[in-house]
Amino acid sequence: MSTARKGKNMSYAQRRQAQARQTERNILQAALTLMRERGFDKVSIRDICKQAGITTGAFYHHFPSKESLLNKGFAPLDDYMEAALRGHEADEPAERLGHILSAYARFMEEEGGELTGRYYVRRITDPTTQSMDSSRYTLRAMVECFRQAQREGILASGRSPEWVADFCYRHFRGVVIDWVLHNYSYRLLPKMEEDYQLFTGFFQKTAAKERT
């Protein structure tokens, strides 16, 4: 096969991939919009297809079920967190951790309590789902906060930065689940910010400043 032919085929393949990604984004956007308005159970696949302007066959080409949308629906969390932290790279570790947790809470509140609850139920009941993916941006950003604190000699815990980040992440994920279990009866962001004050003790300088 000639080089020109290969280039043409690659260009076609790339266009198809781009179209597929756009269709998937359209489906997700349509589904999340409808689910926030009506609730998960009151939205059908037919409703989603109509909103997205696609056929049911196109839907099933991208997603095996309505429930499978939940995992993809929360995938933008990494991009959301990265955008929220942009411009805070030079902040002190304790301040940057506060920004991470605030952005995490805002994302969950914007997604809505019902969808967040459905997402966690799916993760808990799916045996192939990892409890925590260390490659995800949110956890990596938290690890880097504590690594910087360790480099600066202000990490109070005798544990590794990875252990402390994992501990914090598990706690605040638990706060989100508690929020869902209480039927979203309280604001998540203020609760996160309140609990965060307990975790500033991991930073020696921060704790010292607060006592003075």
Side-chain angles (χ1 to χ4, degrees):
M1 184 181 292
S2 68
T3 303
R5 181 68 179 275
K6 286 182 180 179
K8 184 177 180 181
N9 286 343
M10 284 295 294
S11 178
Y12 174 75
Q14 289 171 347
R15 287 198 301 272
R16 290 297 300 270
Q17 289 173 356
Q19 290 170 354
R21 287 194 296 269
Q22 185 59 53
T23 299
E24 186 173 290
R25 284 194 292 268
N26 291 344
I27 294 171
L28 282 170
Q29 186 59 52
L32 292 174
T33 297
L34 292 172
M35 288 173 185
R36 290 180 189 126
E37 291 175 355
R38 306 179 191 175
F40 185 87
D41 289 332
K42 294 183 179 179
V43 175
S44 67
I45 289 176
R46 188 180 297 275
D47 293 331
I48 295 169
C49 293
K50 182 178 179 181
Q51 179 83 359
I54 61 168
T55 64
T56 54
F59 176 92
Y60 284 112
H61 177 74
H62 292 276
F63 298 98
S65 66
K66 186 175 73 169
E67 288 72 19
S68 66
L69 289 164
L70 293 171
N71 287 344
K72 285 283 188 177
F74 281 75
L77 172 63
D78 290 335
D79 292 338
Y80 184 97
M81 297 295 293
E82 193 166 0
L85 290 179
R86 200 167 293 131
H88 295 286
E89 294 85 356
D91 289 357
E92 292 293 324
E95 293 178 15
R96 198 158 72 252
L97 180 62
H99 286 302
I100 292 171
L101 297 175
S102 295
Y104 183 69
R106 286 195 301 271
F107 178 87
M108 295 301 174
E109 286 190 320
E110 289 172 13
E111 289 299 295
E114 186 197 5
L115 287 182
T116 301
R118 293 272 185 175
Y119 169 73
Y120 278 112
V121 167
R122 180 170 175 80
R123 287 183 64 84
I124 291 169
T125 57
D126 184 352
T128 65
T129 300
Q130 291 183 332
S131 173
M132 195 174 303
D133 185 349
S134 60
S135 68
R136 297 294 298 271
Y137 179 83
T138 304
L139 185 56
R140 286 190 290 110
M142 293 178 74
V143 169
E144 181 51 37
C145 283
F146 291 112
R147 283 178 178 167
Q148 182 182 344
Q150 186 180 59
R151 289 193 297 269
E152 295 178 3
I154 60 173
L155 184 62
S157 171
R159 303 281 188 170
S160 70
E162 291 76 14
W163 186 94
V164 178
D166 178 86
F167 177 78
C168 289
Y169 192 83
R170 282 187 283 113
H171 172 86
F172 287 103
R173 186 173 61 177
V175 173
V176 173
I177 293 173
D178 179 77
W179 173 64
V180 170
L181 291 175
H182 282 84
N183 293 317
Y184 348 119
S185 59
Y186 59 83
R187 284 289 314 285
L188 184 58
L189 180 56
K191 177 62 176 172
M192 286 275 199
E193 292 174 340
E194 179 184 358
D195 282 15
Y196 165 69
Q197 298 305 314
L198 299 174
F199 285 84
T200 57
F202 280 119
F203 303 99
Q204 291 177 342
K205 287 183 180 178
T206 301
K209 287 179 181 178
E210 289 178 350
R211 288 195 296 268
T212 59

